[in-house]
Amino acid sequence: MQRSMSQKGLIPALLECKCPRCREGKIFPHGAYDLKKFTVMNQECPVCNLRYEREPGFFYGAMFVSYALSVGIFLVTVFCLYFFVGDPELETYIITVGLVSALLYPLTLRYSRVLFLNIFSGVHYDPAKQSK
């Protein structure tokens, strides 16, 4: 069976913040670094009409995914400082981790919601829901 040109794999769909069911519709209508609107999500998929919030408060669970992503960012930043800068002073660690975390916060928020939606929503990819 040959895949159509519009059919996305899971990883590209996750990276582009696409709907878990059709992998075409955008979950977020605005860019990640549009700081006034980076938290705004579409209520439903513009392509397949999947309602993203499966139940009231569904995305509170994404805080745990966000925590895991943040710990990963902290660890990578600390290891990079230690191995490439040569174990700088404590203040350098604190400032650098704070800056990197602040700069990546919009992406962390988005990807935690996208991962949570894909893993815990019970929605699976359905190529029949793609636009023709």
Side-chain angles (χ1 to χ4, degrees):
M1 175 182 261
Q2 189 174 359
R3 286 175 26 158
S4 69
M5 293 301 288
S6 66
Q7 186 176 1
K8 288 189 182 300
L10 176 62
I11 301 301
L14 288 174
L15 292 175
E16 295 175 17
C17 299
K18 299 292 185 176
C19 172
R21 183 163 67 183
C22 68
R23 295 186 183 165
E24 286 187 10
K26 290 182 176 183
I27 295 175
F28 297 94
H30 306 286
Y33 287 99
D34 182 353
L35 297 181
K36 290 185 180 180
K37 300 177 184 176
F38 76 97
T39 61
V40 175
M41 290 181 64
N42 287 325
Q43 293 294 314
E44 59 185 34
C45 176
V47 176
C48 70
N49 298 321
L50 171 70
R51 183 161 173 77
Y52 292 133
E53 190 168 11
R54 309 306 294 157
E55 58 189 27
F58 175 74
F59 286 108
Y60 285 126
M63 289 186 300
F64 297 103
V65 178
S66 178
Y67 176 74
L69 291 174
S70 295
V71 168
I73 290 168
F74 294 166
L75 290 175
V76 168
T77 304
V78 167
F79 285 136
C80 286
L81 282 172
Y82 183 81
F83 289 113
F84 297 119
V85 179
D87 195 18
E89 296 293 321
L90 179 63
E91 293 82 12
T92 305
Y93 282 110
I94 293 170
I95 291 169
T96 305
V97 167
L99 284 174
V100 169
S101 298
L103 289 173
L104 294 178
Y105 177 72
L107 295 176
T108 303
L109 180 133
R110 283 175 174 237
Y111 287 120
S112 66
R113 288 184 180 189
V114 169
L115 287 170
F116 192 77
L117 182 61
N118 276 273
I119 295 170
F120 297 107
S121 69
V123 176
H124 301 289
Y125 175 61
D126 184 1
K129 297 293 183 181
Q130 290 183 327
S131 63
K132 304 286 183 197

